[in-house]
Amino acid sequence: RSRRIFVLGIGFFTLCFLMTSLGGQFSAKRLGDSPFTIRTEVMGALESRGVLRRMSDMLEMLMKRMDILARLENSTDFHKGDEARFPLDRFQPAAGLMERIQAIAQNVSDIAIKVDQILRNSLLNGKAVDGRRDQCEVPRDPKYPDCAGKVEWMRARWTSDPCYAFFGVDGTECSFLIYLSEVEWFCPPLPWRNRTAALPSPPPLPRVQAAFRNDLAHLLELIGTGKESLSFMKKRIRHLAQQWLRAARRLEQKLKGRQRDQKHILIHIGFLTEESGDVFSPRVLKGGPLGEMVQWADILATLFLLGHSLRVTVSLKELQSHLGVPPGRGNCPLTNPLPFDLIYTDYHGLQQMKQHMGLSFKKYRCRVRVIDTFGTEPAYNHEEYATLRGYRTNWGYWNLQPTQFMTMFPHTPDNSFMGFVSEELNQTERQSIKSNKVSSMAVVYGKEASIWKGKEKFLAILNKYMEIHGTVYYETQRPPEVPAFVKNHGLLPQHEFQQLLRKAKLFIGFGFPYEGPAPLEAIANGCVFLQARFNPPHSSLNHEFFRGKPTSREVSSQHPYAEDFIGKPHVWTVDYNNSEEFEAAIKTIMSTQVDPYLPYEYTCEGMLERIHAYIQHQDFCTTPSPPLPPKAKSPAMQSSLSPLALSPNATHLVWSPSASRDPHAWPPVASLQVWVSEPRHSCTETCQRHGLVCEPTFFRFLNKKEVFLQLSITCDSTEYEMNHLYPAVAENVHECYLQKEPLLFSCAGYNPKYRRLCPCRDYRKGQVALCRDCL
């Protein structure tokens, strides 16, 4: 009895499953109407027939097993004594169930035959349309060596992503080849599909000229609503609106009507998307790190005022819509050519684009600009090299041109310096600040209570001379753990924080946060910035904060830009472990008079000027042509000549006056100087020692054997290798090395074994990103 009930139960549940499956397969009308529909939409003809046949086989097997059970019951005496308790009419439903199963099996068999006929007719009709629909063979073309392998992959995996079906792949060989030749580019075009090749491509539409804008209202609409981060950025833009507009008018006059093409630009702020956690929005009102949002607000204002067409996204869904991502899991290219000339994003957005653009990401990544707070050095950017040499981190390995990464401060010339802006003061405000400064008032840099822990010794010394103010976030139930003598204002709105800085004499940092915008704001409001010197310097080798970041940079203080580019009397960097030095610095600062100071590159006009130059001149989608050497008297001499020449004092190389200059080269080659580093110096340091800036785009002019000869460097051997320190010479053994991989040209890095060849250039006062003739 138990066996009979078990078999009947199995039959009943199998029947329910099959009926549900059939209902889903044949009643759904739209993608997503049932859990089985997506599979049906994706499956090809052969798989559809196979599914129906397997269903029919399962039903027949079930019917046979129930028939065996019935015969077993009729032939055994085991149950005869139970007929009184289990009358035969109790099993009448079982007989009815078998009849129903037989009927369903017959129906499925009929449906399979009909579907098979429909599919065959469809294929025949397809053959009538294009003549070759089911007769495609994989072409053997040496120009397309990956074609056969890609077709093999499609045979096995084309159902793994619905995007293939979206592009017309249906499981036939022809559909594979059409996709691989027309959507992707791994196979040659099929001759019978080449219908539009003879048609001339339409001429490109004339570019619209960019015009400076004089109103920021439309930008505020573009940014949108719904997040505290967006509200913060919009408030900042409104607060600085008049300064932005005045700066735009000044730059417009400076450019004197120069022609500028309007660019179509997508701004995708990846760290604000829900998929990346949107970690900043909840912390806006709690004193979290706002430096990134300050920078993004200023980037938006800059691009908009320069007159470019913008789209702003802070969600993955919007990103997919703007890019034209096909439905599916991101394995297929975009449905149409990318409609944007430039894309500004961050590391989170870069990862999202790679996941959803398929092969199009590799095609269009030259248009991407990555806002990268701390920078990415070439050794970490090159995936193969980073993996082989131990430079692999969570944030590098993108194989972009290093200057596509744009930093908050000019950390390394390998990246482009994007920056942000600080508020400028007019003459009346400057005079008011000078007359209202309180020489015994200090403000501590740090809105989180953790920054104050362990600093009691410094605070006690400072408290002997100054009244200490803080802006530490706290909730009413839990006041922050700061000394009782500190006057804590809590988290202040930006305007009130500015007013506090205008009264204070000293703005003091205790080592963290690194390289934020606040010290520049303090200096611009007439404060002296006092910070700790790090000995040894902090880096990824000895400090947790930098571990995993794609840079080997050694940070000598809390704010290296303030230390190196501003310095005394506005910036003091001292050893906090030396109490006497610390106390002496405070006494001197109290008696020192300083005026408000803001570097030009951090003004609205400076940022507009810099980004204008980048947009006009930086092009990572075309390969620069090699320079022509100077004219020679004979063809035999010409190959050995270089466009570089020894300087009059024979200390370095310059661009030869007789060598040709590409008018489109940027920076202009006339600004180039070639210096040889000391063994323990990077090219960044080497150029700085000569009052210059390392320019990585010039490395291609140095990467030649004859340059060593021009600098009187003896080379017993010369080899090409992948190394971010090359071109360089190992002097002890007279071995010279040239760079094999252009993506590894790097201003950063040194080794005691090598003296490096360094490309340097001049720069505009207050605008380190641009050479004197770069605008």
Side-chain angles (χ1 to χ4, degrees):
R1 185 179 62 186
S2 58
R3 181 174 58 183
R4 182 169 57 209
I5 294 173
F6 174 75
V7 173
L8 287 173
I10 290 294
F12 175 74
F13 284 114
T14 304
L15 178 62
C16 291
F17 170 76
L18 289 172
M19 292 178 69
T20 305
S21 300
L22 289 170
Q25 288 278 8
F26 299 110
S27 65
K29 304 297 182 185
R30 293 176 289 107
L31 196 64
D33 279 351
S34 87
F36 301 92
T37 311
I38 294 176
R39 178 68 180 171
T40 307
E41 294 286 342
V42 174
M43 288 191 301
L46 296 175
E47 289 192 50
S48 299
R49 289 195 291 266
V51 168
L52 290 168
R53 286 169 183 162
R54 284 195 296 273
M55 289 182 179
S56 179
D57 292 344
M58 288 173 66
L59 287 166
E60 289 177 9
M61 180 66 69
L62 177 63
M63 187 175 65
K64 289 178 181 177
R65 290 182 178 178
M66 294 189 72
D67 187 54
I68 291 171
L69 175 64
R71 289 200 302 272
L72 183 65
E73 288 180 347
N74 292 333
S75 62
T76 183
D77 296 328
F78 181 77
H79 297 288
K80 286 182 179 178
D82 294 274
E83 286 180 0
R85 285 185 293 160
F86 299 99
L88 289 175
D89 60 357
R90 293 280 300 272
F91 293 96
Q92 292 304 317
L97 181 61
M98 287 184 62
E99 291 175 3
R100 292 176 188 175
I101 292 173
Q102 282 180 313
I104 292 172
Q106 185 61 47
N107 288 338
V108 171
S109 179
D110 293 342
I111 291 171
I113 294 170
K114 289 179 181 178
V115 169
D116 189 66
Q117 291 173 347
I118 292 170
L119 291 171
R120 288 181 183 277
N121 290 335
S122 175
L123 288 175
L124 289 172
N125 291 336
K127 288 178 182 178
V129 172
D130 56 34
R132 305 273 182 101
R133 184 66 182 169
D134 208 17
Q135 300 176 13
C136 294
E137 294 184 1
V138 179
R140 306 293 177 183
D141 189 331
K143 295 179 182 178
Y144 299 88
D146 298 323
C147 184
K150 290 293 181 180
V151 170
E152 190 67 30
W153 187 95
M154 291 291 287
R155 288 192 193 112
R157 300 292 306 278
W158 75 273
T159 59
S160 63
D161 194 325
C163 72
Y164 298 115
F166 173 83
F167 280 110
V169 177
D170 60 9
T172 62
E173 208 81 349
C174 289
S175 70
F176 297 155
L177 290 171
I178 291 170
Y179 174 84
L180 291 171
S181 62
E182 297 179 13
V183 180
E184 297 184 5
W185 47 86
F186 292 105
C187 295
L190 300 175
W192 49 276
R193 294 278 299 181
N194 195 15
R195 298 168 183 152
T196 59
L199 297 176
S201 57
L205 296 173
R207 301 287 295 192
V208 176
Q209 291 300 300
F212 283 92
R213 293 190 172 98
N214 55 15
D215 187 358
L216 287 162
H218 182 54
L219 173 62
L220 300 177
E221 295 177 8
L222 285 174
I223 293 174
T225 58
K227 293 178 181 286
E228 290 293 343
S229 302
L230 300 179
S231 299
F232 173 88
M233 288 191 279
K234 289 165 75 170
K235 286 178 183 177
R236 177 175 173 81
I237 292 170
R238 286 193 199 98
H239 179 68
L240 294 173
Q242 293 308 309
Q243 292 195 21
W244 278 119
L245 295 172
R246 286 195 296 269
R249 288 193 291 269
R250 289 195 297 268
L251 181 58
E252 184 176 17
Q253 293 170 0
K254 187 185 296 185
L255 295 178
K256 298 176 181 176
R258 197 176 302 175
Q259 295 292 300
R260 300 182 302 118
D261 288 343
Q262 185 185 67
K263 305 290 185 181
H264 295 279
I265 300 176
L266 175 66
I267 297 102
H268 176 61
I269 310 176
F271 71 79
L272 292 184
T273 61
E274 298 300 330
E275 289 75 13
S276 66
D278 189 12
V279 294
F280 285 98
S281 288
R283 302 177 68 184
V284 170
L285 301 179
K286 298 182 180 181
L290 304 181
E292 287 86 351
M293 282 178 284
V294 165
Q295 188 180 33
W296 275 108
D298 296 346
I299 291 169
L300 287 163
T302 300
L303 296 174
F304 183 80
L305 288 171
L306 287 172
H308 299 293
S309 174
L310 308 185
R311 289 289 181 271
V312 182
T313 68
V314 291
S315 78
L316 185 57
K317 186 177 180 180
E318 288 177 310
L319 175 69
Q320 292 173 319
S321 174
H322 286 308
L323 293 178
V325 175
R329 301 188 182 96
N331 291 308
C332 298
L334 303 182
T335 55
N336 293 299
L338 186 70
F340 300 103
D341 302 300
L342 294 170
I343 299 176
Y344 287 82
T345 189
D346 52 23
Y347 262 122
H348 296 282
L350 196 63
Q351 183 66 44
Q352 290 168 352
M353 285 191 292
K354 183 179 181 181
Q355 289 175 346
H356 295 278
M357 289 176 67
L359 289 173
S360 294
F361 178 78
K362 185 175 181 180
K363 180 178 180 180
Y364 293 120
R365 65 183 175 184
C366 61
R367 303 188 191 184
V368 174
R369 306 293 183 265
V370 184
I371 308 305
D372 176 11
T373 304
F374 289 95
T376 299
E377 293 173 3
Y380 296 82
N381 170 62
H382 191 281
E383 184 173 18
E384 179 186 356
Y385 184 78
T387 304
L388 291 174
R389 299 295 184 92
Y391 291 103
R392 182 90 183 217
T393 69
N394 292 334
W395 302 102
Y397 65 81
W398 286 94
N399 291 327
L400 301 177
Q401 292 292 335
T403 37
Q404 287 179 254
F405 296 99
M406 303 188 127
T407 58
M408 184 172 283
F409 292 94
H411 306 302
T412 169
D414 292 320
N415 305 145
S416 297
F417 164 44
M418 169 61 78
F420 58 93
V421 305
S422 287
E423 189 171 354
E424 296 176 75
L425 305 177
N426 58 37
Q427 196 59 38
T428 303
E429 290 170 326
R430 294 168 70 90
Q431 284 299 122
S432 173
I433 285 175
K434 290 180 70 173
S435 60
N436 291 314
K437 276 291 178 187
V438 179
S439 61
S440 60
M441 178 178 174
V443 176
V444 174
Y445 181 18
K447 292 175 284 188
E448 297 181 8
S450 59
I451 295 170
W452 296 65
K453 291 181 179 178
K455 308 302 187 300
E456 292 80 8
K457 180 180 177 181
F458 311 124
L459 291 168
I461 296 173
L462 182 60
N463 188 47
K464 288 164 52 178
Y465 302 94
M466 291 185 157
E467 181 181 83
I468 304 175
H469 294 250
T471 57
V472 183
Y473 168 80
Y474 67 94
E475 297 174 358
T476 53
Q477 302 90 339
R478 297 181 62 188
E481 297 177 7
V482 298
F485 53 76
V486 174
K487 184 177 181 180
N488 185 33
H489 299 262
L491 188 64
L492 293 177
Q494 187 68 14
H495 178 68
E496 294 182 30
F497 181 63
Q498 295 271 1
Q499 296 302 316
L500 188 66
L501 292 177
R502 291 183 181 187
K503 290 182 182 179
K505 176 72 174 183
L506 177 66
F507 189 63
I508 181 170
F510 287 130
F512 191 83
Y514 294 100
E515 300 177 304
L520 288 189
E521 294 177 352
I523 296 166
N525 282 286
C527 293
V528 174
F529 177 51
L530 177 63
Q531 63 173 346
R533 179 182 295 114
F534 299 149
N535 188 18
H538 291 181
S539 70
S540 58
L541 298 177
N542 62 11
H543 202 275
E544 187 62 33
F545 178 82
F546 291 99
R547 194 161 289 124
K549 291 184 170 58
T551 173
S552 298
R553 190 162 56 97
E554 296 179 333
V555 178
S556 58
S557 63
Q558 182 174 352
H559 207 292
Y561 176 86
E563 179 185 6
D564 297 334
F565 288 87
I566 300 177
K568 292 182 179 180
H570 303 280
V571 178
W572 289 63
T573 306
V574 301
D575 183 2
Y576 278 24
N577 293 320
N578 186 328
S579 300
E580 294 179 358
E581 182 182 355
F582 179 75
E583 190 166 356
I586 293 172
K587 291 179 182 178
T588 306
I589 289 168
M590 290 181 68
S591 60
T592 302
Q593 296 295 321
V594 296
D595 292 329
Y597 173 72
L598 180 62
Y600 175 74
E601 54 201 357
Y602 284 97
T603 65
C604 293
E605 184 178 352
M607 186 166 182
L608 283 164
E609 180 182 273
R610 184 167 61 252
I611 307 312
H612 154 74
Y614 289 156
I615 291 175
Q616 288 298 110
H617 299 293
Q618 283 187 336
D619 182 1
F620 303 111
C621 298
T622 57
T623 305
S625 56
L628 295 174
K631 293 182 180 179
K633 293 182 180 180
S634 70
M637 292 176 60
Q638 184 146 341
S639 62
S640 63
L641 292 177
S642 163
L644 304 174
L646 203 60
S647 65
N649 60 5
T651 58
H652 60 282
L653 300 181
V654 296
W655 195 263
S656 172
S658 59
S660 66
R661 299 179 185 179
D662 182 354
H664 302 292
W666 194 85
V669 291
S671 64
L672 169 62
Q673 297 183 28
V674 182
W675 291 84
V676 183
S677 78
E678 295 300 321
R680 292 185 176 272
H681 289 170
S682 68
C683 283
T684 301
E685 295 170 301
T686 299
C687 294
Q688 283 179 346
R689 284 172 168 253
H690 298 288
L692 302 167
V693 174
C694 182
E695 179 50 62
T697 60
F698 286 157
F699 267 112
R700 60 193 177 102
F701 303 129
L702 282 59
N703 200 42
K704 300 174 183 177
K705 291 174 62 174
E706 53 265 31
V707 175
F708 291 109
L709 298 176
Q710 288 179 286
L711 289 165
S712 301
I713 296 174
T714 302
C715 298
D716 291 342
S717 65
T718 305
E719 298 179 17
Y720 279 88
E721 291 184 11
M722 278 203 318
N723 192 308
H724 70 287
L725 302 179
Y726 295 167
V729 56
E731 284 195 320
N732 293 339
V733 290
H734 302 292
E735 293 177 348
C736 296
Y737 300 92
L738 298 174
Q739 182 59 257
K740 184 179 179 181
E741 172 52 73
L743 284 182
L744 286 173
F745 283 136
S746 176
C747 293
Y750 67 87
N751 187 307
K753 177 181 173 182
Y754 300 120
R755 296 183 70 197
R756 303 187 57 192
L757 300 190
C758 299
C760 308
R761 63 160 170 84
D762 56 36
Y763 61 93
R764 304 180 69 205
K765 185 178 180 181
Q767 186 73 287
V768 70
L770 305 180
C771 67
R772 290 171 190 163
D773 298 322
C774 275
L775 191 58

